[in-house]
């Protein structure tokens, strides 16, 4: 099928025994991490160095001169060779570009984004006949609508931004073996999305329209601010679309699943939602995410010979060219830094969490996530007698790294 007109957000997943094995691997991963934290905190596994303890994971993220991000080659495919700061080291260009984007993605926008996300989620839940699919119908719809509007990138003519953004996200972050079929989709979608944003830039120059990130970029361009050429604007907007909206449909349904497994905590989260206590509700959703985060870990490439956990009993030498997986899912379960990590505690300190990375390449949109993720579930949590739909529909189904479906019912 032509990827440009597809309405299938996720590609077909594994079937039968292969899907069962994949599910078991994910289910057993916490036990494997617990073993590694105890006996081999820095382990060399199949050509990869895996770090599993909280301090070591933070060290890898914080030592950019030694542990660099590996994203540039695939970003070059997506961006047509134009540099995007996610793939950069800590250079003057990185600092210039991230500082430039902070002038157009502003803290003052967060309350409005939160309000829009909650209002759209409420409208979707209110229109549902007591039964709602959470992944696509609720979270993905809210995320791409609210953030696409905020960034100033509408759906392409004949295409679906949800499909395009998710397919590019999969290629960039969830395609370790280089699937040729996915690469073929990307070679259609990436240039089409670049052309779509280019056309939108031209259109908005002629008719500026509403206040959004694109209009602010064009205003900076008119002032002659560095970092806001047409190509740079397009590249940064593409980066936001690829790196941002595909994430909530993964982690928010997973958080909902974790709450459903804990009736006491689900009831408390519902009470917070009904009371309008958004900070407490965030505590419940963030803590639920800790039990099934976005990914097991994030990769880094060793740029120069170095040492992980220097001065400890598990000090490990790494060589230039090695790949390191900083397993933040394991780090957030490390009893050396978290009090009773197996206990669900919505009042944990912020320092316990590494959901959005750490230090230089910490997620640029983490504040947007903090403002909106829990509010996508709030209207659903407020409904009485919220429960799983009967049968398999009421259990979270996953397609590789992606949440695929979860259906709930309510009175």
């Amino acid at each position: 099928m032509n990827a440009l007109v597809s309405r299938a957000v996720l590609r077909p997943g594994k079937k039968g025994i292969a899907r069962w094995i994949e599910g078991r691997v994910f289910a057993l991963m916490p036990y494997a991490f617990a073993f590694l934290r105890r006996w081999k905190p820095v382990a060399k596994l199949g050509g990869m160095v895996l770090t599993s303890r909280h301090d070591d994971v933070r060290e890898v993220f914080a030592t950019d001169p030694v542990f660099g991000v590996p994203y540039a080659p695939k970003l070059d495919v997506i961006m047509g060779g134009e540099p995007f700061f996610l793939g950069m080291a800590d250079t003057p260009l990185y600092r210039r570009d991230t500082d430039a984007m902070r002038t157009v993605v502003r803290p003052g926008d967060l309350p409005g984004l939160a309000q829009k996300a909650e209002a759209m989620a409420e409208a979707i839940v209110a229109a549902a006949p007591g039964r709602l699919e959470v992944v696509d119908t609720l979270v993905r719809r809210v995320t791409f609508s609210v953030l696409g509007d905020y960034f100033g990138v509408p759906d392409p003519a004949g295409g679906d931004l949800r499909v395009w953004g998710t397919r590019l996200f999969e290629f960039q972050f969830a395609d370790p073996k280089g699937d040729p079929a996915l690469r073929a989709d990307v070679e259609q979608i990436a240039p089409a999305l670049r052309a779509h944003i280019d056309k939108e830039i031209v259109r908005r120059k002629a008719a500026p329209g509403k206040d959004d990130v694109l209009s602010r970029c064009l205003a900076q361009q008119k002032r002659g601010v560095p970092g806001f050429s047409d190509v740079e604007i397009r590249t940064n907007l593409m980066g936001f679309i690829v790196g941002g909206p595909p994430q909530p449909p993964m982690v928010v349904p997973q958080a909902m699943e974790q709450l459903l497994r804990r009736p006491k905590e689900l009831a408390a989260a519902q009470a917070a939602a009904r009371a309008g206590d958004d900070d407490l509700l965030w505590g419940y959703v963030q803590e639920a995410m800790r039990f099934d985060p976005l990914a097991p870990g994030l990769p880094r490439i060793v740029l120069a010979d170095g040492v992980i956990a220097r001065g400890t009993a598990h000090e490990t030498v790494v060589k230039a060219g090695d790949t390191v997986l900083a397993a933040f899912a394991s780090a957030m379960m490390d009893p050396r830094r978290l009090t009773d990590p197996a206990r669900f505690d919505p009042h944990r300190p912020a320092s316990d969490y590494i959901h959005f990375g750490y230090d230089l390449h910490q997620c640029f949109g983490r504040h947007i996530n903090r403002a909106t993720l829990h509010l996508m579930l709030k209207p659903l949590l407020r409904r009485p007698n919220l429960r799983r739909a009967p049968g398999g529909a009421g259990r979270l189904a996953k397609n590789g790294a992606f949440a695929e479906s979860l259906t709930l019912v309510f009175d």
Side-chain angles (χ1 to χ4, degrees):
M1 175 182 283
N2 185 338
L4 298 180
V5 298
S6 173
R7 293 297 183 267
V9 176
L10 300 182
R11 298 187 305 139
K14 294 177 180 177
K15 303 293 183 183
I17 188 66
R19 188 176 183 115
W20 182 86
I21 292 172
E22 182 179 76
R24 294 308 299 160
V25 168
F26 279 106
L28 293 172
M29 204 170 289
Y31 301 100
F33 282 147
F35 177 87
L36 291 171
R37 286 194 303 269
R38 174 66 178 86
W39 299 106
K40 193 66 174 174
V42 183
K44 295 187 177 181
L45 303 171
M48 175 178 289
V49 180
L50 190 149
T51 61
S52 55
R53 288 188 182 176
H54 197 277
D55 289 354
D56 301 340
V57 167
R58 284 185 177 249
E59 176 190 347
V60 169
F61 284 148
T63 315
D64 192 70
V66 176
F67 306 103
V69 290
Y71 303 129
K74 287 190 173 183
L75 281 173
D76 284 345
V77 175
I78 294 171
M79 305 300 181
E82 296 295 333
F84 177 57
F85 58 78
L86 178 64
M88 299 179 192
D90 188 6
T91 60
L93 181 60
Y94 173 90
R95 296 290 177 176
R96 188 206 72 173
D97 284 0
T98 52
D99 288 347
M101 287 301 102
R102 290 189 184 98
T103 69
V104 294
V105 178
R106 303 167 183 167
D109 299 335
L110 298 177
L113 287 171
Q115 183 179 31
K116 289 179 181 178
E118 183 178 348
M120 186 172 181
E122 173 60 40
I124 292 170
V125 174
R131 181 184 178 97
L132 183 65
E133 196 287 306
V134 175
V135 180
D136 193 65
T137 305
L138 178 62
V139 180
R140 185 172 287 120
R141 186 175 163 195
V142 171
T143 303
F144 275 89
S145 178
V146 171
L147 293 185
D149 181 70
Y150 174 61
F151 295 139
V153 182
D155 266 326
D160 190 326
L161 199 62
R162 297 174 303 172
V163 177
W164 291 17
T166 304
R167 201 74 91 245
L168 295 177
F169 178 95
E170 182 183 4
F171 171 72
Q172 180 66 64
F173 299 109
D175 179 38
K177 295 182 179 179
D179 185 340
L182 177 58
R183 177 61 180 261
D185 284 356
V186 168
E187 288 177 351
Q188 292 183 62
I189 291 170
L193 183 54
R194 294 196 298 268
H196 171 58
I197 297 176
D198 284 341
K199 290 178 182 177
E200 196 62 20
I201 290 171
V202 171
R203 188 183 74 80
R204 293 291 292 278
K205 283 182 178 181
K210 64 185 177 65
D211 175 43
D212 55 24
V213 173
L214 174 53
S215 70
R216 295 171 186 174
C217 287
L218 293 174
Q220 294 290 67
Q221 183 186 83
K222 288 185 72 172
R223 297 187 188 103
V225 178
F228 290 98
S229 69
D230 285 1
V231 170
E232 288 166 328
I233 293 171
R234 177 241 283 163
T235 298
N236 285 315
L237 289 177
M238 277 193 72
F240 293 156
I241 291 296
V242 173
Q247 293 188 36
M250 300 168 72
V251 296
V252 174
Q254 291 170 189
M256 187 71 243
E257 169 69 22
Q258 293 300 317
L259 290 172
L260 289 164
R261 294 180 185 183
R262 299 169 173 83
K264 179 181 175 181
E265 285 73 19
L266 174 62
Q270 289 188 275
R274 290 167 184 153
D277 190 339
D278 292 344
D279 286 338
L280 180 57
L281 179 59
W282 168 250
Y284 276 96
V285 172
Q286 178 176 228
E287 177 71 350
M289 288 164 53
R290 186 172 67 88
F291 289 87
D292 191 1
L294 181 67
L298 291 173
R300 293 293 187 263
I301 300 297
V302 180
L303 304 176
D305 292 356
V307 176
I308 297 174
R310 186 186 297 275
T312 70
H314 62 279
E315 174 180 308
T316 303
V317 173
V318 290
K319 298 293 185 180
D322 287 347
T323 297
V324 176
L325 183 72
F328 64 88
S330 175
M332 290 191 289
M333 290 291 177
D334 188 352
R336 293 157 193 81
R337 285 293 172 264
L338 278 74
T339 302
D340 194 4
R343 179 170 57 90
F344 191 107
D345 181 2
H347 304 287
R348 292 186 182 277
S351 59
D352 283 0
Y353 298 105
I354 322 178
H355 284 304
F356 309 119
Y358 181 70
D359 208 71
L360 185 72
H361 286 287
Q362 192 173 17
C363 177
F364 190 85
R366 63 192 180 278
H367 302 300
I368 295 175
N369 288 339
R370 167 63 180 88
T372 61
L373 295 189
H374 56 309
L375 300 183
M376 298 180 198
L377 290 179
K378 181 180 176 183
L380 187 59
L381 290 167
R382 292 176 60 237
R383 264 47 187 188
N385 198 19
L386 182 68
R387 59 203 187 277
R388 297 181 188 275
R395 298 281 169 179
L396 178 70
K398 299 188 77 169
N399 181 341
F402 295 89
E404 187 171 51
S405 65
L406 172 64
T407 299
L408 303 184
V409 294
F410 49 88
D411 295 342

